[in-house]
Amino acid sequence: MRKIASVAAVFAIVLLVGCGNSTNNNANVTPTATTTPGNTNNTTDAVTSASVVDNEEAFKKAISADGTWIAATLKDLTFTEDLVLDGQFTNKDEPARKIALYTQDAEHNITNSYKLTAPKITIKSKNARIQGGTFIGDVYVEAEGFSLVNATVEGNVYFADAKYQSTFDTSDQGKVTGVTEVKK
């Protein structure tokens, strides 16, 4: 029964990514040394998708600069070290990065929400968001456009600069239990 639930959760996330990215299946990510035919600038347009994970090592790789634009977990994850969401990715021709702490059904209803626990996470990706679950720890923001979508930070959110704080968005059911301030 547990295996069926896991397969269903993976299917739901794949469906989410497929439906949510219908206008741009080719997202530009960090260029590689490989070229594609007709590409004169010696970089490759890479194709990216969700990285659906159920362990800490896979999650760390998914949020790295070499990861994917969406890092989705299938269970609660706990880290004793600090995390960094890094790299510039695009979705629908806009910079974007998402940590998905939930699974959903075919109608996009959240079926499970998860907790991500770490002493801190540093957000270095533009237009990054934490969605659908709870981050337990402090968030340090070093990029514009960070948001919480139907998500909670049980801790503080610190911004490296006032310009990052001015683009912070919690209007879609986002919540921070601690302080939200600039801290250099």
Side-chain angles (χ1 to χ4, degrees):
M1 186 65 164
R2 188 172 191 192
K3 186 175 181 179
I4 291 171
S6 293
V7 170
V10 170
F11 176 74
I13 289 175
V14 169
L15 183 62
L16 163 73
V17 173
C19 293
N21 197 14
S22 62
T23 61
N24 180 15
N25 289 331
N26 293 321
N28 294 326
V29 295
T30 306
T32 64
T34 309
T35 60
T36 55
N39 187 342
T40 58
N41 66 1
N42 291 332
T43 61
T44 299
D45 289 336
V47 176
T48 187
S49 61
S51 182
V52 181
V53 301
D54 65 356
N55 68 73
E56 286 78 4
E57 284 306 309
F59 184 81
K60 283 186 353 186
K61 183 176 181 185
I63 65 171
S64 75
D66 296 324
T68 56
W69 91 270
I70 299 175
T73 184
L74 296 172
K75 67 177 197 171
D76 295 343
L77 297 175
T78 301
F79 295 86
T80 55
E81 74 270 14
D82 297 343
L83 300 174
V84 178
L85 179 69
D86 201 2
Q88 300 306 316
F89 295 80
T90 59
N91 178 42
K92 299 179 184 174
D93 297 323
E94 294 291 328
R97 201 75 195 271
K98 177 166 57 170
I99 295 175
L101 301 177
Y102 65 97
T103 55
Q104 66 182 12
D105 63 19
E107 287 81 38
H108 303 287
N109 299 308
I110 292 178
T111 56
N112 289 303
S113 291
Y114 302 106
K115 293 180 181 180
L116 174 62
T117 304
K120 83 175 188 181
I121 186 168
T122 301
I123 307 296
K124 294 185 175 188
S125 299
K126 186 175 182 177
N127 294 339
R129 68 182 180 224
I130 297 174
Q131 185 169 338
T134 302
F135 176 74
I136 302 170
D138 291 334
V139 178
Y140 288 75
V141 180
E142 298 178 2
E144 294 178 352
F146 176 62
S147 63
L148 298 173
V149 178
N150 193 22
T152 300
V153 171
E154 289 184 7
N156 304 307
V157 178
Y158 297 115
F159 301 89
D161 193 286
K163 69 181 178 181
Y164 304 140
Q165 185 177 24
S166 71
T167 62
F168 178 51
D169 184 12
T170 59
S171 64
D172 192 0
Q173 302 177 49
K175 181 180 171 187
V176 178
T177 63
V179 299
T180 302
E181 64 187 18
V182 174
K183 181 178 180 179
K184 296 186 181 198

